[in-house]
Amino acid sequence: MINQILNQFQDLFNGKIKPFKFSIDMPKFICDNYDEIENENAEIAQIFNDYVPEICDEGEPGFDPTHMIAELKKVYDKAKAIYDKAE
C-alpha cells in the first residue's frame, strides 16, 4: 500500500497525474486505507495523515501547484527514507 502511494507521488512529480486531481484523490485514499497503511508502517501512516490532507487543501481548479508539489516532495522524501530503511 505504501509503495503504491509513493508511486502515485512519483506520478504527480513526473506530470502523469494532474495536481488538482491528486489534491482530491490522495487525501481520500489515505483516509479510506489508513488502517492498512498503519499496519504496514505506523510512522509513515502518521506522516501521510498529518501532512498530505493539509497540503492538498491548496488544490482548486486552475491553481498554481508549485507550492503544493514542493511541500509534497518533502513528505515523499521523508516517507521514502523511512520506507527504504524498513525494507
Side-chain angles (χ1 to χ4, degrees), residues 1-9 40 48 76 80 83-84 87:
M1 182 69 60
I2 291 171
N3 191 48
Q4 180 182 349
I5 293 170
L6 294 173
N7 287 337
Q8 291 288 313
F9 273 78
E40 196 173 328
F48 286 157
Y76 171 86
K80 180 86 166 106
Y83 184 75
D84 289 347
E87 286 297 300

Side-chain angles (χ1 to χ4, degrees), residues 45-64:
Q46 191 67 49
I47 290 167
F48 286 157
N49 191 59
D50 286 351
Y51 298 105
V52 173
E54 185 177 326
I55 294 168
C56 286
D57 276 348
E58 291 182 31
E60 58 183 54
F63 81 116
D64 178 354

Side-chain angles (χ1 to χ4, degrees), residues 34-53:
Y34 186 81
D35 290 341
E36 189 174 340
I37 298 165
E38 186 178 43
N39 285 337
E40 196 173 328
N41 187 303
E43 187 177 8
I44 293 174
Q46 191 67 49
I47 290 167
F48 286 157
N49 191 59
D50 286 351
Y51 298 105
V52 173

Side-chain angles (χ1 to χ4, degrees), residues 9-86:
F9 273 78
Q10 279 294 324
D11 286 347
L12 170 70
F13 303 151
N14 293 325
K16 295 178 182 175
I17 297 175
K18 293 188 182 291
F20 179 60
K21 180 167 177 39
F22 184 94
S23 75
I24 295 168
D25 294 346
M26 186 52 69
K28 181 177 180 348
F29 184 84
I30 290 169
C31 181
D32 290 350
N33 296 284
Y34 186 81
D35 290 341
E36 189 174 340
I37 298 165
E38 186 178 43
N39 285 337
E40 196 173 328
N41 187 303
E43 187 177 8
I44 293 174
Q46 191 67 49
I47 290 167
F48 286 157
N49 191 59
D50 286 351
Y51 298 105
V52 173
E54 185 177 326
I55 294 168
C56 286
D57 276 348
E58 291 182 31
E60 58 183 54
F63 81 116
D64 178 354
T66 307
H67 181 261
M68 182 185 87
I69 290 173
E71 293 301 309
L72 288 170
K73 281 184 180 175
K74 293 175 189 175
V75 172
Y76 171 86
D77 289 343
K78 190 173 189 178
K80 180 86 166 106
I82 295 166
Y83 184 75
D84 289 347
K85 191 176 180 182

